[in-house]
Amino acid sequence: MTPPPHGEARGRGEPAGPPAPRRDAIRWHVQTAGSGPALLLVHGTGSSSESFRALTPLLAERFTVVAPDLPGHAGSEAPPWFRPTLPESAAALGELLATRGIEPAVAVGHSAGAALLIRLAIDRAIDPRLVVALAPALVPLRPLAYAVLPSAARLLAFASARVAPRAWSAGRVDRLIRSTGSALEGPGVEHYRRLLERPGHVTATLSMMAHWDLTPLFDDLPALATPLLLLAGARDRAVPLAHQRLVAGRAPRARLEVVGGAGHLLHEERPAAVARLILDEADALAHEKPPQGRPEAGPPGAPARLWGRGWAGAE
């Protein structure tokens, strides 16, 4: 993998240099840490790469961790023409990885970030040996909610760009976080409070919600040949556990683990437990061998190259 270019960041978000002038392009903010094979971390809607602040050092002992902010979120700037649909957001992320020469051995996504990684894996834009989905939002909304929420989100996105940022107290942010079933300490609450006071970030979040359609991805889940580890918080109020069980039944190589004492933000509440599950799963797959007599064969419908790279050993 290559180092981040000017205008991006390494470590804890330290500027790497002056921004490179690029006309009408997404200006990515990327954090990296550690050494070894690449491990990609993708945050969910309304969050940022900073949400992985406790998980990153645990994974960086074994991997080069790469964590971008999604377009329009936190430090990444999106041009006016960018439409944050699921396919376009996935394509933009895939282009970033291809341009920087980043080939993730493991790809980890939270909530909507998991949907982006699964889309890329199904489309073979990335070829990791493991995809990890943290509290993934993959099941389409019910028809009535789907009809109402996108229109409401578009209206809010339009309005939010025209009003002054509202003051968010730590108490109000804490109540919002607790509504997802999670409870965060001071730094976690402060992270989301700062994001909520950035009009551009709020606009990008609502616009992403307005343009999101999970139906094609959900329909394509049986085509996912990559092993998928689903990690669900036992107290998650944002994505029901029943949804994760449904996804586990559709993806051919999926396995579901429930993390006790955690809600939707399980990677922020239980980083050590989440890191251990990710590393253990990666190790187990690295030592798994193809069945004898079928050295090039994979799961039904899986190309031989995925089987060979995904199961033969660690990079």
Side-chain angles (χ1 to χ4, degrees), residues 132-146:
V132 181
L134 308 173
L138 302 174
V139 177
L141 294 170
R142 292 187 298 273
L144 178 60
Y146 180 75

Side-chain angles (χ1 to χ4, degrees), residues 89-99 120 125-126:
S89 296
L93 181 59
E95 182 180 348
L96 170 69
L97 299 176
T99 301
L120 288 172
I126 59 174

Side-chain angles (χ1 to χ4, degrees), residues 97-286:
L97 299 176
T99 301
R100 306 298 177 239
I102 300 169
E103 298 181 358
V106 177
V108 181
H110 173 247
S111 197
L116 295 175
L117 294 178
I118 291 172
R119 181 74 272 167
L120 288 172
I122 291 174
D123 295 342
R124 301 182 193 173
I126 59 174
D127 185 17
R129 65 172 178 259
L130 172 66
V131 172
V132 181
L134 308 173
L138 302 174
V139 177
L141 294 170
R142 292 187 298 273
L144 178 60
Y146 180 75
V148 173
L149 288 179
S151 298
R154 288 189 187 97
L155 179 61
L156 288 170
F158 178 83
S160 67
R162 288 159 175 77
V163 299
R166 66 183 301 179
W168 284 87
S169 67
R172 296 184 72 174
V173 177
D174 181 65
R175 288 192 293 274
L176 181 63
I177 291 170
R178 288 181 183 275
S179 71
T180 70
S182 290
L184 300 183
E185 301 294 336
V189 174
E190 178 61 17
H191 163 239
Y192 288 103
R193 190 193 67 78
R194 291 197 309 268
L195 291 178
L196 285 166
E197 291 190 342
R198 299 176 66 165
H201 175 89
V202 174
T203 299
T205 298
L206 294 170
S207 181
M208 191 171 174
M209 292 168 56
H211 289 93
W212 213 243
D213 180 7
L214 288 168
T215 301
L217 178 64
F218 186 75
D219 291 344
D220 287 347
L221 281 176
L224 178 65
T226 310
L228 174 65
L229 175 62
L230 299 161
L231 299 183
R235 303 185 311 204
D236 193 339
R237 296 178 188 169
V239 180
L241 186 56
H243 284 196
Q244 312 302 4
R245 293 194 177 105
L246 187 59
V247 171
R250 287 185 63 81
R253 302 200 70 87
R255 190 171 73 82
L256 173 62
E257 287 274 358
V258 178
V259 179
H264 191 62
L265 307 177
L266 68 164
H267 58 299
E268 298 187 69
E269 294 178 282
R270 301 287 307 281
V274 168
R276 186 72 267 152
L277 287 166
I278 293 171
L279 296 174
D280 286 350
E281 192 77 1
D283 287 344
L285 291 172

